[in-house]
C-alpha cells in the first residue's frame, strides 16, 4: 500500500502534456526583474542640436562641400580638351596606347595632383623627433676680443663709466 501512495505522489508531479512547455524570458531570468529601456530625456528636435548630432550635422563632407553654390574647383577641367590635356598620357614614351589608357587622370594613376579627394589628414614626415631635437652649432668665423666696446650691449651702463653706473653733472646718462 505504501508503494501505491508513493506512485500516486510521483504521478501527480508528472507533466500530463507530451510536448515541452513554452519558454519565455522569465525562465532565463530567475528572480531578476527585466529592465525596461528608459525613454530619451529630450525630444528629438532638441537632442539634435546637442553633441554629438550637432557636430555630425554641422561638419561638411567633401561631397557636401562640392555641392554648395559657392564651391569652385580651379583644377577641374572645363571641357573635354582640358580633360585630355590634364591626362597622365605621355605621347613620347607611351605611343599607340588605347583610347581608354590615354585619358587616365593623375588622380586615378596615383600621381601627385594637388587635390583633396578624401577626408584624410596627410601627416608630414618630420626631419627629427621633436622630443630630441638636433644640437645646433653656431660657428663664428672670426674670434673677437670680448673686452671690446663694440661688442657691448647698448645701455646707459657701460664699462667706460665709473663701475658702469656714472651720471653726467646734469643728471643724464653717458652714452657710447
Amino acid at each position: 500500500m505504501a508503494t501505491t501512495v508513493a506512485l500516486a505522489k510521483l504521478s501527480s508531479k508528472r507533466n500530463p502534456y507530451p510536448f515541452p512547455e513554452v519558454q519565455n524570458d522569465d525562465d532565463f531570468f530567475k528572480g531578476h526583474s527585466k529592465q525596461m529601456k528608459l525613454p530619451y530625456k529630450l525630444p528629438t528636435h532638441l537632442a539634435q542640436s546637442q553633441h554629438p548630432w550637432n557636430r555630425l550635422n554641422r561638419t561638411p563632407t567633401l561631397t557636401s562641400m562640392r555641392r554648395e553654390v559657392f564651391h569652385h574647383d580651379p583644377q577641374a577641367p572645363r571641357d573635354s580638351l582640358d580633360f585630355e590635356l590634364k591626362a597622365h598620357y605621355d605621347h613620347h614614351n607611351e605611343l599607340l596606347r588605347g583610347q581608354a589608357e590615354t585619358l587616365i587622370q593623375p588622380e586615378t594613376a596615383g600621381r601627385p595632383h594637388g587635390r583633396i579627394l578624401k577626408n584624410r589628414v596627410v601627416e608630414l614626415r618630420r626631419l627629427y623627433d621633436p622630443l630630441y631635437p638636433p644640437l645646433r652649432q653656431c660657428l663664428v668665423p672670426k674670434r673677437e676680443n670680448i673686452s671690446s666696446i663694440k661688442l657691448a650691449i647698448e645701455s646707459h651702463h657701460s664699462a667706460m663709466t665709473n663701475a658702469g653706473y656714472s651720471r653726467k653733472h646734469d643728471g643724464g646718462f653717458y652714452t657710447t
Side-chain angles (χ1 to χ4, degrees):
M1 182 132 172
T3 57
T4 57
V5 173
L7 287 174
K9 286 183 180 179
L10 285 176
S11 65
S12 65
K13 290 184 179 180
R14 183 175 169 261
N15 186 0
Y17 303 104
F19 298 107
E21 290 185 26
V22 178
Q23 294 180 341
N24 58 18
D25 290 338
D26 293 334
D27 293 340
F28 300 109
F29 293 105
K30 302 220 183 207
H32 298 292
S33 63
K34 187 176 179 182
Q35 296 178 351
M36 296 288 293
K37 182 179 177 183
L38 297 174
Y40 294 110
K41 296 176 183 175
L42 294 173
T44 306
H45 70 282
L46 293 176
Q48 287 178 351
S49 64
Q50 295 179 352
H51 180 75
W53 292 282
N54 187 25
R55 180 178 54 86
L56 293 173
N57 185 29
R58 302 263 188 244
T59 306
T61 61
L62 287 173
T63 306
S64 65
M65 285 183 353
R66 288 181 183 131
R67 288 186 189 136
E68 300 243 345
V69 174
F70 299 111
H71 175 72
H72 174 67
D73 187 4
Q75 294 180 346
R78 292 185 179 84
D79 55 6
S80 63
L81 177 63
D82 282 345
F83 188 78
E84 291 175 12
L85 290 174
K86 204 179 119 188
H88 176 62
Y89 177 68
D90 183 11
H91 186 68
H92 297 289
N93 296 328
E94 302 174 10
L95 186 62
L96 300 176
R97 293 277 181 160
Q99 184 178 5
E101 292 174 331
T102 61
L103 298 176
I104 293 177
Q105 299 296 306
E107 293 94 348
T108 308
R111 301 276 176 134
H113 47 80
R115 297 179 74 189
I116 299 173
L117 299 179
K118 294 185 179 179
N119 281 339
R120 292 185 184 156
V121 177
V122 178
E123 293 184 17
L124 299 175
R125 187 172 168 257
R126 296 187 180 191
L127 299 175
Y128 59 88
D129 186 8
L131 294 176
Y132 305 104
L135 295 176
R136 287 189 250 164
Q137 272 187 328
C138 273
L139 298 176
V140 179
K142 179 179 160 187
R143 198 161 178 105
E144 306 230 1
N145 185 3
I146 59 169
S147 300
S148 173
I149 298 297
K150 293 179 185 175
L151 296 177
I153 299 172
E154 300 222 358
S155 169
H156 56 275
H157 300 294
S158 167
M160 296 179 70
T161 61
N162 183 12
Y165 296 100
S166 293
R167 289 183 171 240
K168 292 182 181 179
H169 297 290
D170 61 355
F173 297 105
Y174 289 104
T175 60
T176 55

